[in-house]
Amino acid sequence: MSVAEYQQLDGLALAELVRKKEVSAAELLEAALARSAQVNPKINAIVTPMHEIARDRAKQNLDGPFAGVPFLLKDIQEDYAGVTTSAGSRAFQNYRPTQHAHFVQRLLDSGVVVFGKTNTPELALKGTTEPELFGATRNPWNLDHSTGGSSGGSAAAVAAGIVPIAGASDGGGSIRIPAACCGLFGFRPSRGRVSAGPAFGEVWEGASSEHVITRSVRDSAAILDVLQGAASGDPFRIAPPERSYLEETQRAPKKLRIAFSTRSPIDMGVDPHCIAAVQDTARLLESMGHTVIEDTPKIDGHAVAECFLKMYFGHVAATVASARKITGARESDFEMDTRVLALMGRSLPAGEYVEAHARWNGFARALGEFHQQYDLYLTPTLAQPAARIGSQITPLAERIGVWPLLALNLGKGLLRSGLVQKSALNSLARVPFTQLSNITGTPSMSVPLHWTKAGLPIGVHFIARFGEESMLFQLAAQLEQARPWKDKRPSI
């Protein structure tokens, strides 16, 4: 199989060729490796090669719906026994887990051939993939722009045609943000739909979900069929779907009531391209027979951001402390931004953290009431197109301002200064729409339906009721048929 032929097919189509013995798993792997050799030096998507492991696996008699399909894992949480999981950090660069994550084992059981791990910002903390350890991942649509984050390496690899599917996770938008930046389909399952075990019961208080980034809707659906279901000891157990998600992509959705908004929930600017993408999608939905009404849930977006950030600060502190115990890492092994966030988390009173987390219930209840009136909620995925590389790095003046407080471990001074809160809120200005789904545990997706005049992709974002992934897949497949994006590919 030529590289050009390989790039044209999604994962299920490749697996079908293997099943029919028209191509072997080894041939698919070599095509993927050849494409990686062509483009990875330009985009820096893959940071941990696993070529020999993959070649040995491709020789085996593989079985499952994705038998023989080349695959890449995200370099955090998606543990592959004996292979480094660095989490984009010097602190973990020598950490090798001793067992597969359930996510990885289920993928292997489906027949995939894993040949590497993809770049992520340190500890998956940012909406841009530019870790100091590995350097920036570049957007295949324009190498001067970011892929978003934190699953930016995975998105770049799929967009560039290295793989049709790559592992991803989403604690604040980290599947949907890079999917939007790279012109791909990004789906975030409901809380508890995919097991985070055995290393974790829940990640980020249940805000984070594991899944994939894909080009086709059906690949995403079929992979969720593989991944879904609780494992023994998981804290959440969600009812299984009535039918397979792949079957749902073949079923037309009912006539839906869809609310939409283009206003930033934290009252910051939204780029005209992002507004136009939603407005155009609303017209498309109406032409399909759906009812579309401009409306928003009665939720204080500033409060959502505040409660999200307190969780974020607290978990950075806990992760840094855990890393130092597990790996013997020093404080200096973490990037300055991570160290500042950890200090903030250590300085946050426990009662204040618990109070902020308790407020998640109110947001979930309000969104649940909103979904009594509307089936789906439509917004931009991002408030701005993909940022330029380097533009999201903390300015030198801010670094200088917090350095004395960091050096003296004066976390309360940092809290009082407001510098970190201001910087964190500014970082959310580009991505204010995605965190609501994480905090409420609801399924959501970014669909690539718009491109700027300069050729950068723009995603549109849908949130459904808890547990209603099927409705999202039905609509996504309908949108994919109406406005196909399969042949929209970067020129890299």
Side-chain angles (χ1 to χ4, degrees):
M1 173 172 280
S2 71
V3 171
E5 291 171 321
Y6 166 77
Q7 290 183 81
Q8 296 303 311
L9 301 176
D10 69 0
L12 286 172
L14 293 174
E16 179 67 7
L17 292 179
V18 173
R19 188 185 67 79
K20 292 179 176 178
K21 301 189 185 306
E22 294 179 19
V23 69
S24 70
E27 288 171 319
L28 290 185
L29 175 61
E30 293 308 317
L33 293 176
R35 181 58 178 165
S36 176
Q38 288 174 351
V39 298
N40 197 58
K42 300 175 183 177
I43 61 175
N44 192 33
I46 304 168
V47 294
T48 303
M50 298 167 56
H51 296 181
E52 294 312 309
I53 290 174
R55 286 188 170 114
D56 287 343
R57 179 168 169 80
K59 296 173 185 176
Q60 300 172 16
N61 292 320
L62 301 173
D63 192 21
F66 289 94
V69 177
F71 195 93
L72 294 166
L73 298 170
K74 182 179 178 180
D75 193 19
I76 187 169
Q77 297 171 25
E78 297 174 7
D79 290 345
Y80 193 107
V83 176
T84 301
T85 299
S86 78
S89 175
R90 289 185 294 268
F92 284 100
Q93 62 184 324
N94 295 315
Y95 172 67
R96 291 179 174 81
T98 57
Q99 59 183 329
H100 295 326
H102 293 326
F103 176 92
V104 172
Q105 187 60 61
R106 289 176 181 181
L107 285 168
L108 293 174
D109 291 344
S110 79
V112 303
V113 176
V114 176
F115 68 95
K117 289 195 164 190
T118 62
N119 204 6
T120 184
E122 185 170 61
L123 308 186
L125 294 179
K126 295 182 178 180
T128 184
T129 303
E130 303 179 53
E132 292 178 4
L133 177 62
F134 294 118
T137 294
R138 295 180 177 272
N139 194 320
W141 290 92
N142 186 321
L143 298 179
D144 292 330
H145 288 258
S146 169
T147 56
S150 64
S151 307
S154 290
V158 175
I162 298 174
V163 286
I165 315 166
S169 58
D170 191 318
S174 291
I175 289 174
R176 294 158 289 156
I177 293 167
C181 288
C182 294
L184 302 169
F185 182 65
F187 193 97
R188 195 204 101 88
S190 297
R191 180 175 297 153
R193 181 66 74 191
V194 178
S195 175
F200 304 96
E202 57 181 9
V203 178
W204 283 18
E205 307 289 21
S208 184
S209 291
E210 297 277 327
H211 192 41
V212 293
I213 292 175
T214 63
R215 185 175 300 282
S216 73
V217 172
R218 69 173 193 161
D219 272 357
S220 183
I223 285 283
L224 192 54
D225 286 330
V226 166
L227 295 173
Q228 72 95 21
S232 176
D234 281 354
F236 304 113
R237 193 166 294 274
I238 182 172
E242 183 180 347
R243 287 173 291 272
S244 78
Y245 294 121
L246 183 57
E247 287 180 74
E248 297 291 4
T249 65
Q250 304 301 313
R251 298 170 65 91
K254 67 178 185 179
K255 300 304 180 185
L256 301 170
R257 284 180 58 83
I258 302 172
F260 80 95
S261 175
T262 59
R263 183 182 66 81
S264 166
I266 56 174
D267 300 313
M268 293 186 171
V270 179
D271 187 270
H273 287 291
C274 301
I275 293 172
V278 170
Q279 293 173 338
D280 182 53
T281 300
R283 289 189 292 269
L284 174 61
L285 291 165
E286 286 180 327
S287 74
M288 295 172 168
H290 303 299
T291 299
V292 185
I293 300 169
E294 188 166 8
D295 200 359
T296 57
K298 293 180 173 60
I299 296 173
D300 182 343
H302 292 276
V304 170
E306 178 187 355
C307 292
F308 177 82
L309 288 173
K310 286 180 178 178
M311 177 276 295
Y312 176 78
F313 295 153
H315 275 275
V316 177
T319 301
V320 167
S322 177
R324 297 191 68 179
K325 290 179 183 177
I326 293 171
T327 69
R330 301 163 297 177
E331 191 82 5
S332 59
D333 289 327
F334 295 94
E335 297 176 15
M336 178 182 279
D337 286 354
T338 302
R339 295 161 62 189
V340 169
L341 294 171
L343 180 57
M344 291 284 287
R346 290 195 298 270
S347 305
L348 187 68
E352 190 174 330
Y353 181 96
V354 172
E355 181 185 19
H357 183 240
R359 295 181 69 186
W360 291 21
N361 176 64
F363 305 137
R365 301 285 180 185
L367 185 60
E369 289 179 12
F370 187 71
H371 276 141
Q372 295 299 309
Q373 186 176 1
Y374 302 105
D375 295 301
L376 299 173
Y377 181 39
L378 165 65
T379 66
T381 307
L382 306 176
Q384 306 288 329
R388 285 189 170 271
I389 294 290
S391 66
Q392 302 303 294
I393 303 300
T394 302
L396 179 61
E398 287 188 24
R399 289 172 177 248
I400 292 172
V402 301
W403 175 251
L405 297 172
L406 181 63
L408 296 172
N409 201 33
L410 298 176
K412 294 190 186 305
L414 264 178
L415 284 170
R416 286 193 298 270
S417 75
L419 284 172
V420 176
Q421 295 96 319
K422 179 182 176 183
S423 177
L425 190 61
N426 285 339
S427 72
L428 290 182
R430 298 189 68 87
V431 290
F433 298 102
T434 52
Q435 294 81 36
L436 180 60
S437 176
N438 298 90
I439 279 185
T440 59
T442 47
S444 50
M445 64 183 182
S446 180
V447 186
L449 294 178
H450 194 81
W451 270 255
T452 70
K453 291 180 180 178
L456 286 175
I458 301 288
V460 294
H461 186 247
F462 294 87
I463 300 177
R465 298 179 189 93
F466 181 79
E468 292 202 358
E469 287 90 340
S470 295
M471 183 184 294
L472 289 174
F473 279 125
Q474 288 173 0
L475 180 62
Q478 188 181 47
L479 291 170
E480 184 181 35
Q481 184 175 15
R483 292 274 183 87
W485 56 81
K486 178 175 71 73
D487 295 327
K488 286 183 177 288
R489 296 172 182 270
S491 60
I492 186 170

